Amino acid sequence: LNPHKVVQLLVLLLGVQSVAHLAARLLAAHHAVAVSALASGFVSSTATIATLGLAVREQGAQPRLMAGGGLLSCVSTQVQLLLVAAAMQPAWLARLWLPALVGAGVVALWGWVLLRGAPTDGDGLVVSSPRIEGLSVRGDDRMFSLRGAAAVAVLLSSVQLVVHALQLWLGDAGLVAGALVAALADLHSALAAVFSATTPVSGPAGVWAVALALLVHAASKSITAGLTGGMAYLRWLAPGLWLHTGLVAAGLVWFSS
């Protein structure tokens, strides 16, 4: 575990929160769902999808509108994927930047189409969750949450230690298994662990661990969406979610072969 890289990641998270906060303040009057989802996605896309799903189930929000916001939060996931790779192991960027940007572009377009075509009552919806501090459009005015960013950094560091221990114990199989288990809860923790333990040229285990972690996390998001928002919400969300995730995973494997 490299303390310098942990601090570097913490600074990156704080910077992203600040930019997202400013964007939400400047644009929220016209694009509340889109901007809030993008901002919240930098902290937790899964939590954002869950929050929007609960809005469908408990507040009667439009499933298509909320699914569009959920997909836009996945854009933040792809951007943060590149940030984590840059902080942990820049060698991964050569293999990841194009698949990640293509995936981000596809899911951004899909999400925006859902948002633009969805009926709305004009009230807008603020995206918030217990894990997202300082990013609510109408919430507090803090530029960033040091506690929230530190919690994410600690989580990523803890997962790195667990995955590294499994790798020492079981070799490549431990690396892949640890990444897949971690991806059920937090994708970036899983990928940070893989990035810190391998490079794209050190063998196929790292590449497959990243690709499979992406797919496992998409399954986790799908289950979350279905449980919180019901099947109508999941039907709007799932195609865009799986298309862009599949493109990123397949692109990574293709460029690494």
Side-chain angles (χ1 to χ4, degrees):
L1 184 63
N2 189 330
H4 175 72
K5 291 185 176 181
V6 174
V7 173
Q8 187 177 20
L9 181 60
L10 176 60
V11 172
L12 279 172
L13 290 171
L14 292 173
V16 166
Q17 284 186 16
S18 300
V19 172
H21 176 93
L22 289 174
R25 291 295 164 186
L26 292 173
L27 302 176
H30 302 290
H31 304 292
V33 174
V35 175
S36 297
L38 281 168
S40 301
F42 278 110
V43 179
S44 174
S45 177
T46 302
T48 304
I49 288 172
T51 301
L52 293 170
L54 289 173
V56 174
R57 183 181 296 275
E58 298 178 359
Q59 303 173 27
Q62 289 288 336
R64 174 171 175 164
L65 181 67
M66 297 301 100
L71 290 177
L72 287 181
S73 76
C74 297
V75 176
S76 307
T77 298
Q78 297 305 319
V79 174
Q80 196 169 0
L81 167 63
L82 297 178
L83 291 175
V84 172
M88 293 296 171
Q89 186 62 265
W92 279 96
L93 288 176
R95 308 293 176 87
L96 278 172
W97 72 267
L98 183 57
L101 291 182
V102 169
V106 168
V107 77
L109 178 60
W110 198 301
W112 185 248
V113 168
L114 292 186
L115 283 175
R116 295 289 292 176
T120 177
D121 57 10
D123 292 336
L125 181 71
V126 179
V127 179
S128 61
S129 83
R131 291 188 57 193
I132 301 170
E133 302 179 48
L135 292 180
S136 174
V137 173
R138 295 189 186 90
D140 58 52
D141 287 323
R142 287 177 294 173
M143 181 67 73
F144 55 76
S145 168
L146 178 59
R147 184 176 65 178
V152 174
V154 170
L155 175 63
L156 265 61
S157 301
S158 301
V159 171
Q160 286 179 53
L161 290 174
V162 172
V163 173
H164 181 63
L166 286 173
Q167 184 184 23
L168 292 177
W169 181 31
L170 300 174
D172 289 344
L175 174 69
V176 175
L180 296 187
V181 172
L184 288 171
D186 187 89
L187 176 64
H188 298 111
S189 299
L191 297 186
V194 176
F195 294 155
S196 64
T198 66
T199 67
V201 297
S202 61
V207 172
W208 280 106
V210 173
L212 291 175
L214 288 166
L215 296 175
V216 166
H217 193 65
S220 176
K221 285 182 175 180
S222 298
I223 294 171
T224 299
L227 291 176
T228 57
M231 291 306 299
Y233 176 57
L234 179 60
R235 280 195 295 268
W236 284 111
L237 181 81
L241 172 64
W242 282 98
L243 175 62
H244 92 275
T245 303
L247 286 173
V248 177
L252 172 61
V253 173
W254 174 268
F255 284 118
S256 301
S257 60

